[in-house]
Amino acid sequence: MIKENVRGLLQELPAHVELVAAAKARTAEEILEAIEAGVKIIGENYVQEAQRAFEVIGSRAKWHFIGHLQKNKVKKAVKLFDMIETVDSKGLAVEIDKICAQENKVMQVLVEINSGREKQKFGVMPEEAEGLIKELSRLRNISIMGLMAMGPYAGEPELTRPYFVETKKTFDNIKALNLPGVEMKYLSMGMTNSYRIAIEEGANVVRIGSKIFGEREEK
Ligand SMILES: *Cc1c(COP(=O)(O)O)cnc(C)c1O
């Protein structure tokens, strides 16, 4: 099933769109199947879970962190991940930068936008993204590569469209500033129920879990 799902998705996605297989709560064996079918990037929400999978899988894929990163997990995250998609504060960015300097590494990051403006969610408000990115662009051991956003609805996919549209506008506005040290290359938005709409509205990275691995059992 996983292999067929991946192959179907890879055929469907336009060539400019990168697929991140969102692997929370999946076993290393399931993730390996996805890789064998052509997945190149694994998305992980939890550092410890990613460590366990990494021990089995290693660099057969790129690893993107897509969860909420706590400062006390940054050191492990920096060692493991190729990109952190969820930077949403100066404090977190400074910590990543500091650890990267020690590790002699430059981390690619995306700034997470709270596109639905939901109180309980992480990410910065769309209008705060530019200011944050200007501040972060001075950090030498992180490289800002774009934006990441989640739509607010789990239900009707079409309802997520306005949030994707707004995030794309924010992305384009920041890109047009040509800030030194900032390469607005990736716009990561869209999940299983919304990726088609996200791509129509400009996403070039989609993070897909259940459509690859099947429905998750809710904890
Ligand atoms: C779980 C998750 C996804 C994928 O969700 P699905 O609905 O299973 O496709 C994408 N992004 C993030 C941040 C996630 O936590």
Side-chain angles (χ1 to χ4, degrees), residues 20-24 26 43-46 65-68 85-86 112 148-150 188 190-195 206-216:
V20 174
K24 57 177 169 283
R26 315 297 179 175
E44 290 279 1
N45 294 64
Y46 304 103
F65 189 76
I66 62 172
H68 179 64
E85 293 200 12
T86 47
E112 179 178 4
M148 179 271 204
M150 307 252 272
S188 171
M191 324 200 317
T192 292
N193 73 344
S194 59
Y195 71 92
V206 292
R207 308 176 309 268
I208 298 183
S210 18
K211 198 181 165 80
I212 293 175
F213 298 107
E215 289 300 320
R216 272 185 306 281

Side-chain angles (χ1 to χ4, degrees), residues 103-171:
E103 299 285 329
N104 214 352
K105 181 168 179 173
V106 175
M107 179 62 72
Q108 300 199 337
V109 305
L110 305 183
V111 166
E112 179 178 4
I113 307 292
N114 182 353
S115 63
R117 300 168 185 275
E118 295 164 285
K119 279 208 186 74
Q120 71 280 16
K121 290 250 175 94
F122 298 108
V124 297
M125 294 300 152
E127 63 275 11
E128 292 168 355
E130 181 181 321
L132 179 63
I133 287 177
K134 281 180 175 160
E135 285 191 278
L136 303 193
S137 66
R138 291 187 218 119
L139 300 172
R140 305 181 63 132
N141 289 79
I142 65 171
S143 175
I144 298 161
M145 302 294 293
L147 302 181
M148 179 271 204
M150 307 252 272
Y153 289 105
E156 172 56 42
E158 191 57 42
L159 294 175
T160 59
R161 190 182 297 275
Y163 303 99
F164 294 149
V165 170
E166 185 181 20
T167 306
K168 176 64 159 66
K169 274 196 195 135
T170 305
F171 180 88

